[in-house]
Amino acid sequence: MKRFAFALAAAALAVSASISAASAAPAPCEETLKALRAAEGQAKLNTADKAKVLDLESKGIERCNADDDKRADDFFAQAMKVMGK
């Protein structure tokens, strides 16, 4: 009986850990990239800011292609800050 209770507790812990990990997952980088490109189309940037945004977008796309959504989203968020979004 103790083994059954222990196994049940371990299973409950595993399920709760996977649920909280899923809820903390970053947004898909493809969706964030779409939002960034939409904001770029409307932004009025000087040459230096435009270069910075393009550099951050390029780095984000590189990370997105490597399935590193968290770091890609970080680069895209930095680009949005440069644009004042």
Side-chain angles (χ1 to χ4, degrees):
M1 185 67 172
K2 287 183 181 181
R3 285 186 185 175
F4 178 73
F6 179 74
L8 187 59
L13 181 63
V15 168
S16 68
S18 66
I19 289 172
S20 47
S23 66
C29 56
E30 295 84 5
E31 295 300 319
T32 311
L33 179 59
K34 286 180 190 176
L36 174 66
R37 287 185 172 159
E40 275 182 81
Q42 298 174 353
K44 305 289 186 212
L45 300 173
N46 62 37
T47 306
D49 286 344
K50 185 170 180 82
K52 182 71 173 169
V53 167
L54 290 176
D55 181 52
L56 290 166
E57 180 180 353
S58 176
K59 290 177 181 179
I61 290 171
E62 179 183 329
R63 294 294 21 166
C64 190
N65 289 338
D67 290 331
D68 186 358
D69 287 5
K70 182 182 181 327
R71 290 194 60 212
D73 288 344
D74 288 344
F75 283 121
F76 296 150
Q78 290 175 35
M80 293 291 262
K81 280 185 182 180
V82 171
M83 291 187 292
K85 305 284 180 192

